[in-house]
Amino acid sequence: DSGVTQTPKHLITATGQRVTLRCSPRSGDLSVYWYQQSLDQGLQFLIQYYNGEERAKGNILERFSAQQFPDLHSELNLSSLELGDSALYFCASSVGVRADNQETQYFGPGTRLLVL
Amino acid sequence: GENVEQHPSTLSVQEGDSAVIKCTYSDSASNYFPWYKQELGKRPQLIIDIRSNVGEKKDQRIAVTLNKTAKHFSLHITETQPEDSAVYFCAATSREGGNQFYFGTGTSLTVIP
């Protein structure tokens, strides 16, 4: 157990809908990262927050957004869902000491999203 | 942006043999290269990482080598055991690249008892 929690574990929804995925980092970690893992595209970095502020941005679609709250938990919002958004979404956290993010990231168990 | 390629996509070895997974990257500014192990149905876990000011790093049966000139880095697992069976991902990042993490497509390693 990495200490990172994600809810829900599974999510089934329909195209066009909007969902929110939640992540709680390890105690004391200030950085939160979001990743998408699909069969055909592997592991893709989406976005990273540090102490409430966006620090790095990857290939995150405009239909997706994220934020990190004062208690350091983070939410990833996915809207206008398409079939291709079906994937495993991981959250990871790290201490956040290094501004270049070159530190160990601890992954949560993931949320499996299925869009029908 | 950065492009990370990983080979092979699948690898089978006999227990006790060595396994080598190779990654190449395109952005010369990349300076941090972590390796993750993901067992079936589980989360990725960092197993070793290397920074560009180091050519090699070793941790028990696992080692990583980096060739900055050729822009490639490799994961070496010696004396493989069945519990080493998993998917391994390499990644690259740099501050100049916006601190994004670019992942390889993964290598599925099977260690045959």
Side-chain angles (χ1 to χ4, degrees):
Chain A
D1 186 356
S2 66
V4 179
T5 60
Q6 289 187 247
T7 56
K9 289 185 79 172
H10 303 277
L11 199 48
I12 302 175
T13 188
T15 55
Q17 295 298 306
R18 173 189 168 94
V19 297
T20 297
L21 312 183
R22 184 189 168 102
C23 168
S24 291
R26 293 188 321 154
S27 177
D29 283 1
L30 298 179
S31 276
V32 170
Y33 309 77
W34 286 98
Y35 294 90
Q36 179 192 58
Q37 186 174 39
S38 55
L39 284 174
D40 59 344
Q41 291 194 11
L43 203 57
Q44 300 271 332
F45 167 70
L46 295 178
I47 198 164
Q48 179 225 351
Y49 280 83
Y50 169 76
N51 205 19
E53 299 290 325
E54 182 184 307
R55 177 174 272 184
K57 198 168 187 176
N59 296 324
I60 187 166
L61 299 172
E62 284 192 13
R63 301 183 286 108
F64 296 180
S65 64
Q67 55 184 325
Q68 187 180 24
F69 295 87
D71 67 353
L72 301 177
H73 91 271
S74 178
E75 292 181 357
L76 179 66
N77 300 296
L78 316 176
S79 62
S80 304
L81 284 167
E82 302 175 359
L83 296 177
D85 296 328
S86 295
L88 190 53
Y89 290 84
F90 284 108
C91 162
S93 74
S94 70
V95 176
V97 171
R98 294 186 65 116
D100 58 7
N101 296 337
Q102 295 181 9
E103 55 191 21
T104 302
Q105 295 182 30
Y106 298 88
F107 281 72
T111 292
R112 187 169 294 280
L113 173 67
L114 181 58
V115 182
L116 299 175
Chain B
E2 172 68 280
N3 181 43
V4 177
E5 294 189 358
Q6 184 172 346
H7 300 280
S9 56
T10 59
L11 180 60
S12 290
V13 299
Q14 291 289 332
E15 182 177 357
D17 287 351
S18 294
V20 180
I21 302 170
K22 297 182 179 180
C23 289
T24 61
Y25 61 100
S26 60
D27 188 353
S28 57
S30 288
N31 60 354
Y32 176 63
F33 308 91
W35 284 89
Y36 287 87
K37 175 184 179 182
Q38 186 176 25
E39 296 175 25
L40 190 62
K42 296 193 175 179
R43 67 196 79 187
Q45 287 188 297
L46 180 75
I47 55 170
I48 197 166
D49 57 10
I50 192 167
R51 292 191 170 79
S52 59
N53 59 346
V54 175
E56 183 173 359
K57 185 175 178 180
K58 194 171 182 180
D59 183 4
Q60 299 182 344
R61 296 185 297 109
I62 294 173
V64 57
T65 58
L66 171 65
N67 183 327
K68 285 189 296 182
T69 304
K71 296 202 198 93
H72 67 71
F73 55 112
S74 300
L75 178 71
H76 304 255
I77 306 174
T78 58
E79 301 171 24
T80 54
Q81 301 165 4
E83 50 266 39
D84 294 329
S85 296
V87 178
Y88 292 82
F89 293 95
C90 63
T93 187
S94 71
R95 193 159 189 177
E96 288 78 3
N99 294 326
Q100 294 187 50
F101 283 82
Y102 298 89
F103 284 82
T105 48
T107 296
S108 179
L109 172 65
T110 302
V111 179
I112 304 165

